[in-house]
Amino acid sequence: MATTPNKPAAAGKPDAGKQSQKGFVYLPLIAGWLVPGAGHFLLGKWIRGTLLAVSIIAMFVLGLAMQGKLYTSAQDILDMLGMAGDLGNGLLFFVSRAMGLGGQPVETTVADYGTKFIVVAGLLNIIAAVDAHNLRTGRKAS
Amino acid sequence: MIHPSHFAAVVLFSLFASTVFGITMRDTPRRMVRYGAYCFILFVGSAIVLSWVMFVIAR
């Protein structure tokens, strides 16, 4: 049975992944971090990229709409972890901060949910970006 | 400003997280859908079960 060069992990041959190693390997990872779904778009995975983008952006926007907080400084370990999660949103985080969104203190339960939505959106975006990188390097078959 | 109920927030969170999990953790579209549905059911199901446990403990 013939195998295509675009499925190196499935083929399991030493030279099968050379096709996917050309160019800057980390581009889908960086693009996927900066813009949710962009890493998959670069690889031609349009449906997956769209679903990832919609899910992550919707989660981020809902978090802000619930008056969730964007972490702007790291005073203690919890703030550091929250900031790390927020940074996973890439440009969404920086643009929102530049627009002054998410600056109000958390005073309601819903606002606390919103803060968690924003942090988890960032963590999910990191997972999606790493998935794009794995597709690019051939570690993930398809 | 929106004010979803706790359950609505759980459903929205589960929907988006399950979508990302399904796409990133499996290789084929069929397995992605199945794993995403599995995660969604576990998210919402565990929230309902834990809610009832806390309700019983609080009485």
Side-chain angles (χ1 to χ4, degrees):
Chain A
M1 189 176 123
T3 56
T4 61
N6 290 331
K7 295 181 177 179
K13 295 177 181 175
D15 59 343
K18 286 183 179 176
Q19 180 77 22
S20 63
Q21 297 290 338
K22 293 176 183 172
F24 185 46
V25 178
Y26 296 101
L27 185 59
L29 178 71
I30 295 169
W33 168 61
L34 288 173
V35 180
H40 288 76
F41 291 147
L42 284 176
L43 300 171
K45 307 281 186 187
W46 300 104
I47 297 175
R48 290 187 209 181
T50 303
L51 287 170
L52 289 170
V54 167
S55 298
I56 292 165
I57 293 171
M59 206 162 183
F60 183 85
V61 171
L62 280 173
L64 286 179
M66 289 186 230
Q67 293 194 325
K69 181 180 79 174
L70 282 174
Y71 288 91
T72 53
S73 61
Q75 306 293 338
D76 55 26
I77 185 69
L78 288 179
D79 282 350
M80 287 180 202
L81 293 171
M83 184 117 182
D86 278 5
L87 282 170
N89 287 298
L91 287 180
L92 286 175
F93 174 72
F94 297 113
V95 170
S96 299
R97 275 195 59 180
M99 293 171 67
L101 299 173
Q104 65 278 20
V106 175
E107 293 175 343
T108 63
T109 309
V110 171
D112 196 37
Y113 298 162
T115 304
K116 271 54 180 182
F117 266 57
I118 294 169
V119 171
V120 173
L123 298 175
L124 291 174
N125 192 37
I126 292 171
I127 294 175
V130 171
D131 184 62
H133 178 66
N134 287 338
L135 286 167
R136 176 68 178 83
T137 58
R139 188 176 295 165
K140 187 177 179 184
S142 63
Chain B
M1 173 67 181
I2 58 172
H3 291 275
S5 66
H6 193 162
F7 185 71
V10 165
V11 171
L12 286 170
F13 181 97
S14 305
L15 180 67
F16 298 135
S18 301
T19 302
V20 176
F21 282 177
I23 291 172
T24 56
M25 303 292 174
R26 291 294 182 270
D27 289 341
T28 61
R30 183 181 172 83
R31 294 184 67 205
M32 288 175 186
V33 172
R34 288 185 60 161
Y35 187 69
Y38 173 72
C39 288
F40 181 79
I41 290 168
L42 277 186
F43 270 130
V44 177
S46 60
I48 292 171
V49 169
L50 288 172
S51 301
W52 276 106
V53 168
M54 286 187 279
F55 173 76
V56 171
I57 289 173
R59 290 185 62 144

